[in-house]
Amino acid sequence: MTSTKKQTQVRLDEDVLEAGKAAARSRSLDFNKYVERLIIEDTTGARAAGMTAAQRLIDEHGTFLDDLEQQLDAPYDQQPGAAA
């Protein structure tokens, strides 16, 4: 069985390449799979749909999320040795 994948070459600035490799590692993907996923998400509209959904979540529940974050951070806001 032959692969339908084609090999290509891309030239990137070194810092862009390193950032891409780090992003791939953080997602447990190899760099090729990461780039492939980015292209698919961009060309199919999946990325735009995800960003729209995220913005809707922030718009509808942003205040709740901000309040929750403050509550979770409260125990860490006190300085060591400060009166409780």
Side-chain angles (χ1 to χ4, degrees), residues 65-80:
L65 295 171
D66 288 342
D67 291 345
L68 180 60
E69 183 177 26
Q70 286 180 353
Q71 290 173 19
L72 293 173
D73 287 344
Y76 303 104
D77 288 342
Q78 293 183 359
Q79 298 296 321

Side-chain angles (χ1 to χ4, degrees), residues 3-18:
S3 174
T4 59
K5 295 192 180 239
K6 300 289 182 182
Q7 185 172 346
T8 189
Q9 186 176 20
V10 178
R11 295 183 191 279
L12 301 170
D13 289 332
E14 188 173 342
D15 57 335
V16 173
L17 176 61
E18 290 307 314

Side-chain angles (χ1 to χ4, degrees), residues 12-78:
L12 301 170
D13 289 332
E14 188 173 342
D15 57 335
V16 173
L17 176 61
E18 290 307 314
K21 287 181 176 181
R25 281 191 303 273
S26 73
R27 291 162 177 79
S28 300
L29 298 171
D30 66 50
F31 183 70
N32 288 327
K33 189 65 174 173
Y34 174 69
V35 171
E36 182 179 48
R37 185 177 286 181
L38 287 176
I39 293 169
I40 290 169
E41 289 174 356
D42 188 52
T43 59
T44 63
R47 179 172 168 74
M51 295 301 288
T52 298
Q55 187 61 56
R56 188 172 50 247
L57 178 71
I58 291 168
D59 291 345
E60 293 176 7
H61 304 287
T63 302
F64 169 76
L65 295 171
D66 288 342
D67 291 345
L68 180 60
E69 183 177 26
Q70 286 180 353
Q71 290 173 19
L72 293 173
D73 287 344
Y76 303 104
D77 288 342
Q78 293 183 359

